[in-house]
Amino acid sequence: FFIFLNQILFSQKPSIRFKRISKEEGLSSRGVSGICQDYKGFLWVATKEGLNRYDGYRFKVYTHDDEDSMSISNNKVTSIIEDSENNLWVGTNKGINIYNRSKDNFISVRGEDFDDSGLSNQAVNEIYEDNNGNIWLGTWNGLNKLIGFNQDTKEMKFRYYPYKREKEKELKAYNDIMCIFEGPKGMI
């Protein structure tokens, strides 16, 4: 009887509380496309008007600056993840960015760099890290896998995986990758 009563008393689920954070508190936009909490506890919010870092009290907003090559590549932030090595990856409509924590700026592949990188399209819709630590990007023109990143030159290289129809009668498929998942056997 005591064990049964003990389970009843302690089996209640904790209540979940929500706090609404809006532009009045400093969020740059109501249009949120992604949220990520990093290993330091910061909450990163991807919006249509920049990347927001929230420390629990106030926001710092990162926006694109044409005069600063180390600013985020575009204000329309579409996706964000922190990988297993604590790198913060930020996708935008105009490239992929890695946050440089020590300098509080970004390393990015965008515009003129994007053709040399092998990235199939600069509009990054999704970022995913697989179980082997590989970084995958879904773009408006297919799936891309990061195959090289040189820390010294800040150069990124990607392999493109286009969709190919198996049979002529198959429905026409588009290469728009909006979401990436990994199957139980490691299949992307």
Side-chain angles (χ1 to χ4, degrees):
F1 174 74
F2 175 73
I3 293 173
F4 178 70
L5 182 59
N6 190 19
Q7 288 177 342
I8 292 174
L9 291 175
F10 294 104
S11 66
Q12 294 181 5
K13 294 181 182 178
S15 62
I16 297 173
R17 294 183 311 130
F18 291 92
K19 179 180 178 186
R20 182 181 178 154
I21 301 172
S22 66
K23 289 182 81 165
E24 288 74 30
E25 286 83 29
L27 186 64
S28 64
S29 172
R30 289 178 32 190
V32 173
S33 55
I35 300 173
C36 174
Q37 185 172 15
D38 72 12
Y39 78 101
K40 291 186 171 191
F42 290 114
L43 195 63
W44 295 85
V45 183
T47 76
K48 296 177 181 179
E49 296 176 27
L51 178 65
N52 298 252
R53 184 181 71 192
Y54 186 61
D55 64 6
Y57 300 100
R58 62 191 143 279
F59 283 97
K60 177 170 183 178
V61 180
Y62 297 87
T63 57
H64 174 68
D65 179 354
D66 286 332
E67 303 298 317
D68 182 3
S69 65
M70 301 305 281
S71 70
I72 196 164
S73 59
N74 188 264
N75 288 341
K76 187 169 183 185
V77 182
T78 53
S79 56
I80 184 167
I81 69 160
E82 184 176 54
D83 70 17
S84 56
E85 295 179 4
N86 298 327
N87 295 306
L88 194 69
W89 294 83
V90 182
T92 73
N93 264 14
K94 298 223 173 162
I96 183 71
N97 306 262
I98 300 176
Y99 178 61
N100 183 340
R101 292 179 199 277
S102 65
K103 296 183 179 176
D104 195 30
N105 62 18
F106 295 88
I107 301 162
S108 59
V109 171
R110 56 177 140 182
E112 65 278 356
D113 306 325
F114 129 90
D115 286 335
D116 294 333
S117 72
L119 188 60
S120 64
N121 189 282
Q122 55 183 331
V124 176
N125 301 319
E126 175 74 315
I127 309 166
Y128 182 80
E129 182 182 21
D130 69 21
N131 288 330
N132 294 319
N134 297 306
I135 299 295
W136 295 84
L137 305 180
T139 73
W140 283 112
N141 188 30
L143 184 64
N144 301 262
K145 178 182 175 184
L146 180 70
I147 57 171
F149 176 53
N150 185 318
Q151 291 279 1
D152 297 325
T153 65
K154 313 302 184 219
E155 185 177 299
M156 293 182 228
K157 290 289 184 189
F158 295 90
R159 178 172 295 131
Y160 172 46
Y161 294 89
Y163 173 78
K164 294 179 182 167
R165 289 193 286 178
E166 302 265 329
K167 301 175 186 170
E168 192 61 35
K169 292 182 180 179
E170 251 183 55
L171 291 174
K172 179 169 172 51
Y174 296 96
N175 264 339
D176 301 350
I177 307 293
M178 303 301 287
C179 196
I180 303 170
F181 287 101
E182 184 173 6
K185 294 182 180 177
M187 190 95 143
I188 297 291

